[in-house]
Amino acid sequence: MGAVSDCVDLGAACRSARPEPPPTRFHQVHGANIRVDPSGTRATRVESFAHGVCFSREPLAPGQVFLVEIEEKELGWCGHLRLGLTALDPATLAAVPEFSLPDLVSLGHTWVFAITRHHNRVPREDRPEAEALAPSRPPALLVEPYVCIEQFRIPRDRLVGRSRPGLYSHLLDQLYELNVLPPTARRSRLGVLFCPQPDGTADMHIVINGEDMGPSARGLPAARPLYAVVDVFASTKSVRLVQLEYGLPSLQTLCRLVIQKSVVHRLAIDGLHLPKGLKDFCKYE
């Protein structure tokens, strides 16, 4: 219960309003095999398995999650999505490296990790090394609607991947919510953010389907602009950005949550007397 209590207390401490960050978009500078759609929210690797490095268009704000959903996979390749942060301005790169690991990292001021279930986790010097083995997860009945990541409190709903609407979507959705699927499964949602520290540095965190995997790197330069890095590598072919609400949830989001809890599966939403736009929002978001 200690971990849950700490999280609840932290949530109460950070309820003060903070500016809503702008919507996330992909940078116009990216790997040679990447195509970004006109909205700047979908990145697809069109050939090969490399040259798939992408960046956020703007530096991230503290506590802002750069969240992607894996849309397409491609068989025949070994390896998966890579995610992280860089203090390098993408616009100043002479050329985008072929790989984020090790090429981009070797340029310095870059922290990127391959996404795995047993994620790299950095223990604090004053805590046991066992902290690095696995993130603490409260019992299912005690899961909060918010994820508490250091000083930030982020609504959990949009952080979690969702299956395509179908007769068994209500069962498949639970697998995403419990985070028992492979982290790079299709429709999984993966995010990266940084949390400033009192000493002027920052910790980098990676979130997998609503679960904070703990600090992946420490000592990032919090005073410098930090851009998200997404390497659409190997078996990961296409990703799309998912936008989050950081303040109070919108009326549209609240309606969606109530409707989704009132039906057995999302196909049943088609039978409700609701505007088509709201039905689609409830089924797919």
Side-chain angles (χ1 to χ4, degrees):
M1 286 297 292
V4 177
S5 299
D6 291 344
C7 187
V8 172
D9 293 340
L10 178 59
C14 57
R15 288 180 187 177
S16 57
R18 56 186 172 118
E20 189 80 10
T24 53
R25 297 289 185 269
F26 285 113
H27 204 286
Q28 63 269 25
V29 173
H30 49 69
N33 288 336
I34 286 292
R35 300 294 180 268
V36 176
D37 77 335
S39 71
T41 62
R42 182 175 281 100
T44 303
R45 194 187 68 254
V46 294
E47 60 179 292
S48 184
F49 65 94
H51 289 290
V53 177
C54 305
F55 305 95
S56 59
R57 182 179 297 177
E58 303 291 340
L60 299 186
Q64 181 183 14
V65 183
F66 196 81
L67 184 67
V68 297
E69 179 179 281
I70 297 177
E71 283 213 312
E72 293 184 53
K73 306 276 290 183
E74 187 171 51
L75 299 177
W77 302 115
C78 181
H80 302 280
L81 186 83
R82 296 164 173 184
L83 193 61
L85 296 170
T86 182
L88 304 176
D89 185 344
T92 64
L93 295 175
V96 178
E98 182 176 8
F99 303 103
S100 60
L101 286 171
D103 301 1
L104 182 64
V105 171
S106 68
L107 298 179
H109 303 291
T110 302
W111 304 264
V112 175
F113 293 92
I115 298 299
T116 63
R117 167 64 62 206
H118 301 290
H119 190 70
N120 298 283
R121 200 160 186 254
V122 182
R124 294 189 182 276
E125 294 180 358
D126 58 345
R127 295 185 183 179
E129 290 187 5
E131 181 196 56
L133 296 179
S136 59
R137 183 189 300 179
L141 292 177
L142 298 178
V143 169
E144 293 287 321
Y146 292 89
V147 176
C148 298
I149 304 176
E150 299 200 19
Q151 67 269 45
F152 298 105
R153 181 173 177 265
I154 303 166
R156 185 174 183 272
D157 176 59
R158 300 298 295 275
L159 294 173
V160 180
R162 306 179 72 220
S163 64
R164 289 190 177 278
L167 290 175
Y168 303 103
S169 58
H170 60 297
L171 300 176
L172 294 173
D173 286 348
Q174 292 180 19
L175 301 181
Y176 290 100
E177 292 169 3
L178 296 173
N179 203 10
V180 297
L181 292 175
T184 52
R186 193 164 178 265
R187 300 184 74 84
S188 278
R189 293 184 179 182
L190 313 164
V192 63
L193 71 155
F194 71 93
C195 303
Q197 303 300 306
D199 63 357
T201 66
D203 291 351
M204 183 180 85
H205 287 248
I206 287 178
V207 181
I208 299 177
N209 285 319
E211 183 179 353
D212 173 26
M213 305 310 292
S216 303
R218 299 189 191 278
L220 280 67
R224 293 184 60 176
L226 294 171
Y227 295 82
V229 179
V230 179
D231 192 350
V232 187
F233 176 69
S235 64
T236 303
K237 183 175 178 63
S238 181
V239 298
R240 76 175 181 96
L241 289 171
V242 179
Q243 309 301 329
L244 298 179
E245 297 174 335
Y246 292 89
L248 294 174
S250 66
L251 180 59
Q252 188 180 43
T253 295
L254 293 174
C255 289
R256 173 173 61 82
L257 293 175
V258 170
I259 292 169
Q260 289 173 347
K261 290 179 179 178
S262 302
V263 296
V264 175
H265 55 76
R266 278 180 275 148
L267 286 183
I269 293 173
D270 287 329
L272 301 177
H273 297 290
L274 297 170
K276 183 180 184 302
L278 182 56
K279 289 182 181 180
D280 290 344
F281 181 68
C282 293
K283 285 198 300 181
Y284 298 108
E285 290 299 320

